[in-house]
Every structure is written in structure tokens, then in C-alpha cells.
Amino acid sequence: MTPEQLLALTAAFAVANAIILALLFIRLVFGRGGASIERAEGRDRLLAGADVTVATGNPVDERPDRAISATAYHRVVRIAAWAFIMATAALVAITGLWREAEGAIALVLGATGVFVLIVHDLLPDDALGAPAFVVEGSVAVTVATFLVLLTGRDESPFFFVFPLVVAGAALVISPRATVALAAAAIGGYFVAVFIGRTGPVDAAVISRMAVNLAALLLLAYVTTVIAGEHRLSLRVAMRLATRDPLTGLVNRSVLFAGIEREIARSARSGRAFCLLMMDLDELKTINDRFGHFEGDRVLRDVGAVISSGVRKIDIAARYGGDEFVALLPETDPTGGYVLAEKIRQGVAELGTTPLGRHATLSVGVVSWPHDGRTADELLVNADQAMYRSKRLGRNRVMGVPIDGWTRESV
């Protein structure tokens, strides 16, 4: 391969990677407005590793982004990349098998080292977000293509980099993206073997390529299947760890984490938020007279009303027994009372319980920071407001008394 051809190939790959980076930059800058900002703020209120569905209790996509954590991913890539760079450099220098290409190989390894240093050592783990996988996949295929091209083409010992990249990517990207990356790897391999080649291609070359490509495709398939099963296990484990199995609402651990995050966010922004404490009236009587099966049925119905009544950025949780809590970010007291009344009426419209009466909720409403500045203060005051509603006849919405009076809705 002539220096001119090598330079042209280098320029082509540089342009291709630049285009990918430009497209991702445009998507990051111009593709996040309006509702996307709301989703980004919602994610700030979630537990680490939980997605929007887990925190809000709303039926949206629950697929984790990756089969391993971002921290583990960066650690593995960092160690593997530096080990590969050093081992390859030592192999090339000690064996002397590719004397004429040593300068070009050193340039490729050096550029790879700079890229790894910037992305995995200097930048924060989440600086590039999900598009980082696309960028890294593109760069990895480019590096593998040049190494195979410079070290014997179809006889190169560095073909293994292609299946290694594809298999590793299967752990962090979707199956469709894995197929696309595998196609890019195959294309890069063909470029490395055939570009600038003169003379006929014999059967030995074809057979070596066939075996290599078969290994790449099989490894990609196996890794994709294993990663998919692992993602499914993560979804199941996440749901068991964060959701109430009866109502499908999130549990106390997610609620407490959400409250703490909302307090921190509201302290920065100065915007209030509300907390609703809701208690299902007469559940004990239903359980005692008709059994827990009927009581569970009523709880599921009430949980469905609460889940459908809150917004996507809200957190609806089963606090325990017959008590529910809803966290309403960026909501003033008036908005909190309106939503509480909407949920109370929705429960009243469910129909009669086994007792022959309509299901009812007693609701207490508190607002940060007026009714409490900590999670404990807010929950205690919401609980007291809710029990005040019960003492005054149930089936009503009440807040914390201020100067001898309280706002209520009957």
C-alpha cells in the first residue's frame, strides 16, 4: 500500500468519525428542549440506577440503558485499552515483524491512548452520555482497521480486536446498535484486507476471512443474547427492589430518596413542592369482615387511581398498609390541593366496597418549605393533617393549620 493510499484512507476515516461526532453534537445541543428538559430534571430526582418508570410509577419503558454500570464500564474499558496499547507496542517493538509500518502503528496507538485518556480519565463518566458508545465504537473499529491493515491484512494477529469491540459493545448498547457495529466491523475488515491490494485473491485468503468473520458474528450473537438476559434480570431485580408488588407503586426507599433529592433541588431553585399523605378509610373493617383478598383488591384499585392521577414527574408510593404518599415537584399548595381533590374524587368514583359504601380517602397536604424543611418534618406534618381529616369525618383533604385555621376540601 502506497503512502498516498494510506493517507487517503486515514483522511476518509477521520472524516467519517468527524461526521459522527458532529451529528451527535447537533443532537445533544438542539435535541433537548421543552419536554426533554423536564425529563432531565426528573432523572435528577431518581435513585442511582433507577429509570423514570421506577421513580414515578408510570407505565413507560423500563429497560435499563446497559447491562453494566457506567462506572464499571469506564473502569473495564480503561484497563483493557491501556493493557492492549502497551502489549501491542511491546509486541511490535520486540518481534520486529512489521519494521516498515512501526511508525504508522506507533501513531495509531498514540492517538488511541490520547482518546482513552480524554474520554475515560479526564472527562466525567457521564460527560458524553449514551452517544459516547457510538463514538467509542466508531473509533475502535477505525483503530482495528488500521492495525489489521498495517500488520499483514488477512494474516494479521490483530483481527481479534474486531470481535472484542463488538462483544464489549453488546453489553452497553441495544441489539440493533450491536448489529450496526458488527456491520461496521465487517466493513472495516474488508477495507483492511482489500484496499490497495494487487493481484488475485487466493483461496487461503478467502478461507481465513470466512473463519474470522464467522467467529465475529457468532461471538456477537452469543454476547447479545447473554446481555439481553442480563438486562431482563436487572429489570426484574430493580422492580422487586423498588416497587410495591400489590399496587405497582414505588416503595418507601424510592420515596425517601425522591424527597431528599427534591429538597436539594428546591433549595437550589427556590421552587416549592408538595407532599400528599393519603389513607384508605375502613380498610381494617374490610379485611376483618371479608378477608384480605377483598382488602387487597380495594388497595389495587386505589393505587391505580393514584398512579393515573399524578404527572410523569411526580412520585406515587405505597407508604405502608393502607397509606399512600405522592411527591409533587414544582407544585404550590393550591396545585397540591387540586391534585389531592382529583385523586379523592377518583377513589370515590370506584364504586362500592364490600361494606356497601363507596371507597374514600382521607388526605393531608403539606408544602415545602412552609410545612417542613426536612423529609421527616414533611412526613410528620402530612400524617397529622391526614389524621385530622379522619377525625373530622374522613373523605376530605386538609392541610397544616396556620394561625388557627386550615384550608380543606370536602
Side-chain angles (χ1 to χ4, degrees):
M1 186 176 186
T2 65
E4 291 78 11
Q5 290 175 324
L6 181 59
L7 182 61
L9 180 61
T10 303
F13 276 106
V15 170
N17 282 283
I19 292 174
I20 292 175
L21 286 171
L23 292 175
L24 292 175
F25 178 78
I26 292 172
R27 176 179 176 271
L28 287 171
V29 173
F30 298 104
R32 292 185 177 180
S36 296
I37 295 177
E38 181 182 73
R39 289 193 295 270
E41 291 180 346
R43 285 194 296 270
D44 185 59
R45 291 186 287 272
L46 310 186
L47 284 169
D51 61 8
V52 174
T53 301
V54 171
T56 63
N58 290 290
V60 295
D61 189 7
E62 289 186 335
R63 294 179 300 172
D65 291 334
R66 55 186 68 91
I68 61 175
S69 68
T71 301
Y73 168 78
H74 282 277
R75 182 176 66 250
V76 169
V77 172
R78 185 186 301 114
I79 294 173
W82 285 117
F84 172 78
I85 291 171
M86 291 186 290
T88 301
L91 177 65
V92 171
I94 293 173
T95 62
L97 294 175
W98 307 283
R99 291 294 184 192
E100 295 181 355
E102 283 185 359
I105 294 173
L107 183 61
V108 171
L109 295 179
T112 304
V114 171
F115 178 82
V116 173
L117 179 66
I118 293 174
V119 173
H120 295 284
D121 290 289
L122 299 182
L123 293 178
D125 288 350
D126 58 349
L128 299 179
F133 306 132
V134 179
V135 175
E136 292 191 66
S138 175
V139 171
V141 169
T142 300
V143 171
T145 300
F146 276 109
L147 283 179
V148 171
L149 173 64
L150 297 170
T151 57
R153 299 176 182 266
D154 57 286
E155 296 180 347
S156 172
F158 293 103
F159 169 79
F160 77 92
V161 178
F162 284 117
L164 180 64
V165 169
V166 174
L171 297 175
V172 293
I173 61 179
S174 66
R176 289 184 179 180
T178 302
V179 171
L181 185 61
I186 294 172
Y189 186 46
F190 273 93
V191 169
V193 172
F194 292 112
I195 189 170
R197 194 184 191 102
T198 58
V201 179
D202 57 25
V205 174
I206 299 299
S207 62
R208 279 192 293 268
M209 291 186 65
V211 171
N212 287 339
L213 293 177
L216 186 152
L217 293 174
L218 287 174
L219 185 59
Y221 169 74
V222 171
T223 310
T224 300
V225 172
I226 293 175
E229 291 297 319
H230 186 47
R231 290 189 182 96
L232 177 61
S233 299
L234 284 178
R235 290 199 299 271
V236 173
M238 185 180 294
R239 185 176 184 88
L240 291 175
T242 60
R243 285 188 178 275
D244 170 56
L246 178 63
T247 63
L249 303 179
V250 300
N251 58 23
R252 292 166 64 106
S253 62
V254 177
L255 172 66
F256 289 145
I259 295 174
E260 294 295 344
R261 288 174 183 268
E262 190 59 30
I263 290 174
R265 189 202 62 79
S266 295
R268 294 193 302 267
S269 65
R271 298 177 180 176
F273 68 88
C274 285
L275 198 70
L276 311 183
M277 178 76 75
M278 298 164 279
D279 185 89
L280 176 60
D281 299 324
E282 299 185 306
L283 178 64
K284 185 178 185 304
T285 304
I286 294 174
N287 286 333
D288 291 344
R289 291 180 56 182
F290 301 96
H292 284 81
F293 176 83
E294 290 295 335
D296 289 348
R297 181 183 63 80
V298 177
L299 283 172
R300 281 194 296 269
D301 292 342
V302 171
V305 171
I306 296 173
S307 180
S308 62
V310 298
R311 303 165 301 175
K312 288 187 176 181
I313 64 171
D314 299 334
I315 297 179
R318 184 182 180 193
Y319 193 66
D322 55 359
E323 294 183 343
F324 302 86
V325 173
L327 173 63
L328 315 178
E330 300 183 12
T331 304
D332 58 23
T334 300
Y337 279 99
V338 170
L339 182 57
E341 181 64 17
K342 173 185 175 182
I343 294 175
R344 186 193 68 81
Q345 292 179 1
V347 170
E349 294 171 358
L350 283 175
T352 58
T353 67
L355 296 174
R357 298 186 288 272
H358 286 277
T360 60
L361 275 184
S362 296
V363 187
V365 181
V366 294
S367 175
W368 183 95
H370 303 292
D371 301 324
R373 289 187 169 273
T374 68
D376 290 341
E377 290 177 355
L378 288 171
L379 288 169
V380 168
N381 288 331
D383 193 63
Q384 291 177 353
M386 181 263 295
Y387 276 106
R388 188 177 299 109
S389 170
K390 282 185 172 294
R391 289 195 299 270
L392 294 178
R394 301 172 180 169
N395 191 29
R396 63 190 65 211
V397 178
M398 297 197 67
V400 176
I402 301 177
D403 297 330
W405 65 276
T406 182
R407 179 175 178 177
E408 65 177 278
S409 173
V410 181

